Amino acid sequence: MNEFKKVVFSGVQPTGNLHLGNYLGAIRKFVALQEGNDCIYCVVDMHALTAQLVHEDMPNQIRSIAAAFIASGIDPEKHIVFNQSAVPQHAELAWIFNCVARIGWMNRMTQFKDKAGKDREQASLGLYAYPSLMAADILVYRGTHVPVGDDQKQHLELARDIAMKFNLDYAEHIRKTDYGIDITVGNEPVHAYFPMVEPLIDGPAPRVMSLRDGTKKMSKSDPSDLSRINLMDDEEAISKKIRKAKTDPDGLPSEVDGLKGRPEADNLVGIYAALADRSKADVLAEFGGQQFSVFKPALVDLAVNVLSPITAEMRRLMSDTSHIDATLRNGSERARARAEVTMKQVRDIVGFLY
Ligand code: TYM
């Protein structure tokens, strides 16, 4: 347990269409966390440059993520919704973290290995340093809790390593100020400037899998559009994709244990549970013993009921971008003010004259 003030932070990249994995693994959790928490939700446009330097229609991609946040139920007045590049303090802290993080740590990042592919020499330095910017995103607000899908777990462990090393490297200087807090990490007492971030990954769908192959993650880069449900899909597309989703010939088990070794069944039950805010056990108590010919139409109805209003509201928000733009400007201004409080202290701790 740390005693830092609880601050929830998360980010989504403006790269291509959002899909059900992004919604269930991240955005739906962002919405639920609003109650009683201080939340900051960011469109991480600087991260998107690591995928493609010339990004097609970047402004509208940024707007559409903000629209998805708001259409899903995030309140940008009570909380903060903004785009990363409008708050330069993220990049400033990322540089300091580049000097704290070790190359060996970066070399272990599985997402870098996957994204860089075989020709690693040709990958950008930005892609390599990506997790360091991600740590800065969170820690520039001294964020404590980060709702994400399972694929971001390793990056968040790295954020903890960076925070810990900064706290230890600068311990003497942190002590000279009144910016630090005494926390316990494991059983060790540490006088910390940055908190140890807690990933919030749990839930029935921390890793939504492809509808075509239950062993592969649902992803925007899958060449088959049938593999994913996009947030902008209409009722017909949702229905077709679920009807065509790969399954095995057996009926549904009545207990969660019976999903072992059945990745497609497990995935569809997890999706149902997450969309209905129920547990997998609860869903199986209802559908155990039923065939997919019964379960799939129920899943189509549920998915359409949950997603259609979001899609409609996203379309409405995107039809007049002035509202989204004003929301992002307002969010960025508030984010900048908070990030600057941290950066003033960080500059002082590392010894910069400012
Ligand atoms: P990104 O933009 O790839 O994905 C956004 C969120 O969606 C989750 N997600 C999934 N969850 C479950 N099943 C899936 N198939 C699935 N696919 C994607 C991701 O885990 C993520 O939560 N590095 C981050 C963005 C980022 C960030 C941050 C996140 C940048 N700075 C700071 C948290 C805190 C990313 O690429 O997410």
Side-chain angles (χ1 to χ4, degrees):
M1 271 290 287
N2 59 43
E3 297 116 44
F4 281 87
K5 184 179 159 289
K6 185 171 178 185
V7 175
V8 175
F9 181 94
S10 197
V12 175
Q13 291 194 68
T15 42
N17 281 335
L18 285 174
H19 54 68
L20 190 64
N22 301 125
Y23 177 67
L24 294 178
I27 300 174
R28 198 171 165 91
K29 292 195 269 195
F30 300 177
V31 176
L33 281 161
Q34 292 183 102
E35 191 61 41
N37 290 314
D38 169 19
C39 303
I40 307 176
Y41 296 129
C42 181
V43 184
V44 288
D45 47 8
M46 294 198 299
H47 275 109
L49 290 188
T50 65
Q52 206 178 338
L53 205 48
V54 183
H55 203 271
E56 208 173 287
D57 202 10
M58 178 73 102
N60 274 323
Q61 300 262 18
I62 295 170
R63 291 178 182 121
S64 79
I65 305 292
F69 287 173
I70 297 166
S72 300
I74 290 167
D75 181 343
E77 313 258 309
K78 284 205 189 109
H79 302 278
I80 296 182
V81 170
F82 75 106
N83 60 310
Q84 185 186 32
S85 62
V87 182
Q89 286 84 352
H90 289 234
E92 185 183 357
L93 185 59
W95 179 257
I96 294 174
F97 284 173
N98 284 346
C99 301
V100 171
R102 305 289 94 181
I103 286 179
W105 301 357
M106 297 294 163
N107 284 340
R108 284 197 286 276
M109 295 295 113
T110 55
Q111 207 155 72
F112 172 72
K113 290 184 206 169
D114 289 348
K115 289 194 174 161
K118 284 206 179 74
D119 198 0
R120 219 180 278 181
E121 298 280 308
Q122 286 304 315
S124 73
L125 194 50
L127 186 67
Y128 195 55
Y130 180 116
S132 173
L133 176 59
M134 189 166 153
D137 296 337
I138 304 162
L139 293 172
V140 83
Y141 306 98
R142 297 168 100 186
T144 56
H145 291 76
V146 185
V148 282
D150 175 70
D151 60 345
Q152 297 301 316
K153 197 171 171 184
Q154 195 186 31
H155 287 158
L156 294 184
E157 279 161 12
L158 186 90
R160 290 171 70 103
D161 290 343
I162 290 177
M164 189 64 169
K165 187 161 186 300
F166 181 96
N167 289 336
L168 296 177
D169 286 354
Y170 289 103
E172 195 187 315
H173 303 281
I174 297 168
R175 279 195 191 282
K176 281 188 196 145
T177 67
D178 59 355
Y179 310 144
I181 293 180
D182 286 313
I183 60 168
T184 335
V185 182
N187 287 325
E188 293 293 310
V190 179
H191 188 65
Y193 180 72
F194 287 119
M196 298 289 109
V197 299
E198 294 273 348
L200 303 175
I201 296 176
D202 287 350
R207 192 178 189 83
V208 177
M209 307 308 270
S210 154
L211 298 178
R212 305 301 300 159
D213 177 351
T215 63
K216 270 175 38 192
K217 192 178 74 168
M218 184 177 284
S219 122
K220 25 196 162 194
S221 57
D222 194 315
S224 164
D225 194 51
L226 282 177
S227 70
R228 64 184 159 260
I229 291 173
N230 302 304
L231 271 198
M232 286 311 232
D233 280 349
D234 59 18
E235 204 172 319
E236 207 183 306
I238 295 175
S239 166
K240 179 173 148 204
K241 289 175 181 180
I242 294 178
R243 273 187 288 112
K244 284 186 177 278
K246 187 177 166 202
T247 47
D248 54 40
D250 297 335
L252 284 170
S254 8
E255 280 172 24
V256 177
D257 258 5
L259 293 170
K260 278 201 189 115
R262 299 180 62 189
E264 283 85 14
D266 190 16
N267 191 35
L268 293 184
V269 171
I271 291 174
Y272 191 105
L275 283 170
D277 284 328
R278 289 165 63 181
S279 66
K280 286 198 220 177
D282 196 26
V283 173
L284 290 177
E286 181 182 343
F287 288 98
Q290 305 271 19
Q291 296 301 314
F292 282 104
S293 55
V294 175
F295 183 65
K296 279 184 171 178
L299 181 55
V300 170
D301 282 350
L302 175 62
V304 168
N305 275 336
V306 175
L307 300 178
S308 295
I310 297 176
T311 313
E313 180 63 2
M314 275 177 77
R315 283 192 209 285
R316 194 186 69 78
L317 289 167
M318 289 300 286
S319 68
D320 169 18
T321 52
S322 60
H323 173 70
I324 293 274
D325 289 359
T327 303
L328 285 171
R329 262 198 309 277
N330 174 281
S332 301
E333 217 168 280
R334 287 152 61 213
R336 262 196 309 272
R338 287 180 60 165
E340 182 57 15
V341 171
T342 307
M343 283 318 299
K344 277 211 171 81
Q345 298 178 347
V346 170
R347 291 179 205 121
D348 189 15
I349 290 169
V350 303
F352 289 159
L353 290 175
Y354 185 74

